[in-house]
Amino acid sequence: MKILRAEFIRSCLTTEQLPSGTIPEFAFAGRSNVGKSSLINTLLQRRGLAKVSRTPGKTRALNLFAVSTDDPTMPHCHIVDLPGYGYAKVSKSVRAQWAPLVEGYLANRDQLLAVVLLVESRVPREQDGDTIAWLASIGCSPIVVATKADKLKAGERVGALRRLCDVLAIQNREALIPFSSVTKEGRDRLWAALLLRVRT
Ligand code: GTP
Ligand code: MG
């Protein structure tokens, strides 16, 4: 997939600040530090477009990027980098602010075409299963991506991905997309999964 345009358009701290209109959106969710911003940069082939940080909890707002590709079946769209959840050091007051923001966005946004849920390849967490269950409760079936796949040694890869599917109750193992922002593994598969949501 060739990216013709990818630019930051807006940072939203309330859902009122989101753009109106009909441009379809793809949202990227997951725990703090799971690699959301890195994945977005890899997907869009733009280094430093979404801010990557060693300090978890860096992304506090909904950050929107306008994207055009060379694929005629992919409409001009917005990529939305969501704040990470589940980071203990984020103060209660900050969390009280962004939980309703993220949940309100995911539950009510008409333009939202698909949610990509990022989970860490090596560290299955029950909380990610809770997120999948919550998304199911609002009628959303996310595209699930296993990040930092480059950290899996060849011998542990199959077992780690199987364990992840078990913990997250993912029936179809083929549906889980291993991804690495270091090796770019998974970029084409993820674009194909996004395109499938456009068509269905
Ligand atoms: P928040 O915005 O805080 O929620 O984090 P995030 O989910 O956006 O994660 P971010 O992309 O900022 O990455 C967090 C850390 O993980 C950084 O130190 C990245 O360099 C590292 N990282 C991200 N993706 C990968 C990957 O595919 N492989 C490896 N080895 N490290 C990665
Ligand atoms: Mg981020």
Side-chain angles (χ1 to χ4, degrees):
M1 182 72 82
K2 201 170 158 204
I3 309 302
L4 302 179
R5 175 187 170 210
E7 59 193 58
F8 172 76
I9 48 169
R10 197 178 294 183
S11 198
C12 305
L13 281 165
T14 67
T15 48
E16 286 75 28
Q17 294 169 347
L18 288 161
S20 54
T22 56
I23 294 171
E25 292 172 357
F26 297 106
F28 292 75
R31 291 174 57 88
S32 291
N33 213 42
V34 71
K36 294 176 295 299
S37 301
S38 303
L39 177 143
I40 288 171
N41 290 335
T42 302
L43 204 61
L44 302 180
Q45 292 172 319
R46 297 291 192 281
R47 224 175 264 243
L49 182 65
K51 297 286 165 265
V52 171
S53 168
R54 280 180 202 279
T55 319
K58 192 75 184 166
T59 313
R60 297 271 168 87
L62 308 181
N63 290 316
L64 276 79
F65 303 90
V67 175
S68 299
T69 73
D70 67 342
D71 188 318
T73 61
M74 175 57 78
H76 172 64
C77 64
H78 287 160
I79 293 277
V80 185
D81 190 5
L82 298 175
Y85 55 81
Y87 185 59
K89 278 193 189 156
V90 171
S91 71
K92 272 200 179 129
S93 64
V94 170
R95 193 178 313 170
Q97 200 182 5
W98 59 244
L101 174 66
V102 174
E103 290 171 11
Y105 171 82
L106 292 171
N108 303 318
R109 185 75 169 158
D110 290 336
Q111 295 90 327
L112 186 58
L113 209 55
V115 176
V116 180
L117 179 67
L118 281 65
V119 299
E120 219 167 299
S121 298
R122 284 203 307 187
V123 205
R125 296 190 197 256
E126 273 174 35
Q127 197 183 5
D128 293 323
D130 296 343
T131 304
I132 291 177
W134 180 79
L135 287 168
S137 79
I138 59 165
C140 172
S141 163
I143 297 165
V144 185
V145 170
T147 62
K148 309 190 187 181
D150 57 281
K151 288 190 176 182
L152 293 174
K153 295 188 191 81
E156 64 181 13
R157 188 183 158 101
V158 171
L161 295 175
R162 186 186 302 142
R163 200 168 59 239
L164 204 53
C165 287
D166 290 345
V167 171
L168 303 178
I170 296 172
Q171 316 283 341
N172 176 10
R173 293 208 182 120
E174 288 297 305
L176 181 70
I177 303 176
F179 193 97
S180 168
S181 294
V182 175
T183 66
K184 322 284 184 235
E185 173 189 1
R187 182 178 181 271
D188 292 344
R189 268 189 75 186
L190 181 51
W191 269 118
L194 296 175
L195 271 172
L196 206 60
R197 297 298 180 106
V198 172
R199 293 184 193 131
T200 49

